[in-house]
Amino acid sequence: MKWAVSCFKFFASLKLGIVLLIALGVIFGVGTFIESYQGADAAQVLIYRTRWLGFLFILLAFNLLASALDRIPWKKKHVGFLTTHLGIILILSGALVSQRFGIEGQLQIEEGRTESRMTLAEPLIQVLSVNSGE
């Protein structure tokens, strides 16, 4: 049982949170440079859609949840702390849903104009003409 408490304390630690935030900042900085020099597709393959980045997000969510649970019993002074930590967990969950089920594309808009068409990397639907076979 002592190992479970020490494991929980590790996930709830401020040191882990700081290391994760610094690591994510450096990773996103590198991803930005890759995107600038090699393009968005390279940054997606090398950084943004990797399993290890997903693992870091899950680890951050565990860290936030454990630090919120470590404060039980919650008092009135913990409302801001809990709201912030649970809000970040909600944002991370939304990012996971968007990454898994979202549609990604590019929309070019000239200044002063409106646009209603988006360029997708993969076709969303395919249309087959029955008469011509196209």
Side-chain angles (χ1 to χ4, degrees):
M1 191 63 173
K2 186 176 182 180
W3 65 270
V5 172
S6 62
C7 185
F8 176 78
K9 289 294 184 185
F10 168 75
F11 280 113
S13 70
L14 181 62
K15 288 180 185 179
L16 176 63
I18 290 172
V19 167
L20 286 171
L21 290 176
I22 290 171
L24 287 170
V26 169
I27 289 166
F28 291 141
V30 169
T32 301
F33 282 110
I34 291 173
E35 191 169 352
S36 294
Y37 293 111
Q38 302 298 323
D41 290 335
Q44 292 289 333
V45 169
L46 295 173
I47 303 288
Y48 300 126
R49 296 228 179 230
T50 57
R51 291 185 187 266
W52 56 266
L53 185 65
F55 174 75
L56 288 178
F57 282 146
I58 290 170
L59 193 58
L60 179 62
F62 280 148
N63 176 252
L64 293 166
L65 182 63
S67 65
L69 293 175
D70 195 36
R71 307 273 182 174
I72 292 177
W74 295 317
K75 298 179 176 125
K76 189 175 182 179
K77 68 180 181 177
H78 293 131
V79 170
F81 174 84
L82 289 170
T83 303
T84 303
H85 284 67
L86 296 177
I88 294 170
I89 292 171
L90 183 65
I91 290 170
L92 289 172
S93 301
L96 178 66
V97 170
S98 294
Q99 185 179 31
R100 179 74 177 116
F101 301 108
I103 297 172
E104 190 166 328
Q106 294 180 349
L107 180 65
Q108 294 181 345
I109 304 173
E110 294 180 24
E111 186 175 338
R113 300 201 54 194
T114 60
E115 188 60 53
S116 61
R117 296 180 185 201
M118 183 169 77
T119 304
L120 302 175
E122 298 175 8
L124 185 61
I125 60 171
Q126 294 183 356
V127 178
L128 176 66
S129 175
V130 177
N131 295 334
S132 66
E134 293 180 27

